Amino acid sequence: YNLHPLIQEDIVTTNQRPKIDEYEDYLFIVFKMVFYNDDGDLIIEHVSMVLGNDYVTTFQEADGDVFDELRDRLANAKGRIRNAGADYLMFAILDAVVDNYFSVIETLSAKIEFLEDQLFDDKVQEDITEDIQHLKKEILRIRRAITPLREVINRLEKTETHLIDERTNNYIRDLYDHIIQVSENVEIYREMIWGLMDMYM
């Protein structure tokens, strides 16, 4: 695919911040896939994507992801994805990632609620301060992974390129609304987690 050496370097540099680079023949996008695994551990995975004229390539850091439903839609020709262009597939991949951010936020909300209930009911476990500290670190990791994608999607929407059809731009605008909503929720939960320690004290 004649990818620029700098792009090849960015693909394997897994601590890379989410970003978008425009080249003459393709767009290069880096983002973070965030999910909880079956053991309840927070996984933040580096994903790179190249959008060309009639192709999309993705590079993942490890096995396991949030794209099962998307693969099913592709395999079984569900929805418009098989009839639309590469730009729509790029959108669908980003949409799956952002949709899963909402699941992560819901899990985070449940964890906060559980600790709040313990504090209000005066059933505080000895290790609750450790739980709060762990949650603080978790929300910071989530925030670092999610927040920069807002700027990436904003740039993607505004970029003038022949690679993205105007119809797909409408979907990208909707995606931008979703990432703003996720970012706002992250900030709200961050404040709530900071408040848990005050409640405990």
Side-chain angles (χ1 to χ4, degrees), residues 31-43:
F31 53 92
K32 302 295 181 183
M33 185 162 49
V34 183
F35 59 95
Y36 285 99
N37 67 11
D38 294 338
D39 297 326
D41 299 322
L42 180 70
I43 306 297

Side-chain angles (χ1 to χ4, degrees), residues 94-107:
L94 286 171
D95 190 46
V97 167
V98 172
D99 276 353
N100 202 70
Y101 287 169
F102 283 104
S103 301
V104 168
I105 296 300
E106 277 177 32
T107 303

Side-chain angles (χ1 to χ4, degrees), residues 144-195:
R144 274 199 301 269
I146 289 175
T147 305
L149 188 58
R150 189 162 80 175
E151 180 57 32
V152 170
I153 295 172
N154 187 29
R155 272 194 59 200
L156 188 61
E157 183 199 341
K158 289 180 167 56
T159 190
E160 292 181 11
T161 173
H162 66 282
L163 297 169
I164 300 177
D165 190 85
E166 184 51 42
R167 281 178 303 179
T168 304
N169 247 337
N170 293 331
Y171 293 105
I172 294 170
R173 272 190 282 279
D174 188 55
L175 185 63
Y176 183 61
D177 291 341
H178 290 178
I179 193 68
I180 283 180
Q181 195 179 334
V182 170
S183 297
E184 287 173 351
N185 284 338
V186 166
E187 292 307 319
I188 289 165
Y189 290 138
R190 181 169 167 259
E191 293 298 320
M192 287 173 75
I193 291 167
W194 255 245

Side-chain angles (χ1 to χ4, degrees), residues 8-185:
Q8 294 178 43
E9 193 179 304
D10 284 345
I11 286 168
V12 294
T13 308
T14 57
N15 60 355
Q16 184 77 244
R17 248 175 86 87
K19 66 170 189 169
I20 179 170
D21 288 335
E22 296 177 50
Y23 289 80
E24 193 176 334
D25 298 323
Y26 50 81
L27 293 178
F28 176 63
I29 303 170
V30 173
F31 53 92
K32 302 295 181 183
M33 185 162 49
V34 183
F35 59 95
Y36 285 99
N37 67 11
D38 294 338
D39 297 326
D41 299 322
L42 180 70
I43 306 297
I44 297 176
E45 188 181 330
H46 176 83
V47 183
S48 303
M49 177 163 57
V50 179
L51 168 68
N53 205 32
D54 55 1
Y55 68 88
V56 175
T57 58
T58 58
F59 303 87
Q60 291 178 219
E61 193 179 340
D63 289 335
D65 54 39
V66 300
F67 301 130
D68 286 344
E69 190 182 323
L70 187 56
R71 287 190 188 96
D72 180 58
R73 282 164 60 197
L74 279 165
N76 298 302
K78 294 177 182 173
R80 68 174 55 84
I81 199 160
R82 288 280 289 269
N83 298 318
D87 58 338
Y88 186 82
L89 177 58
M90 172 212 63
F91 153 75
I93 290 167
L94 286 171
D95 190 46
V97 167
V98 172
D99 276 353
N100 202 70
Y101 287 169
F102 283 104
S103 301
V104 168
I105 296 300
E106 277 177 32
T107 303
L108 204 59
S109 172
K111 287 182 176 187
I112 295 168
E113 216 170 282
F114 175 73
L115 290 177
E116 274 186 339
D117 288 346
Q118 279 192 17
L119 289 166
F120 276 123
D121 296 341
D122 208 19
K123 295 177 182 171
V124 176
Q125 305 293 322
E126 280 185 25
D127 58 355
I128 195 164
T129 53
E130 287 175 29
D131 291 341
I132 293 170
Q133 282 303 114
H134 179 74
L135 213 51
K136 273 186 176 184
K137 287 177 184 171
E138 212 164 87
I139 191 76
L140 285 174
R141 287 181 66 213
I142 290 169
R143 188 171 181 253
R144 274 199 301 269
I146 289 175
T147 305
L149 188 58
R150 189 162 80 175
E151 180 57 32
V152 170
I153 295 172
N154 187 29
R155 272 194 59 200
L156 188 61
E157 183 199 341
K158 289 180 167 56
T159 190
E160 292 181 11
T161 173
H162 66 282
L163 297 169
I164 300 177
D165 190 85
E166 184 51 42
R167 281 178 303 179
T168 304
N169 247 337
N170 293 331
Y171 293 105
I172 294 170
R173 272 190 282 279
D174 188 55
L175 185 63
Y176 183 61
D177 291 341
H178 290 178
I179 193 68
I180 283 180
Q181 195 179 334
V182 170
S183 297
E184 287 173 351
N185 284 338

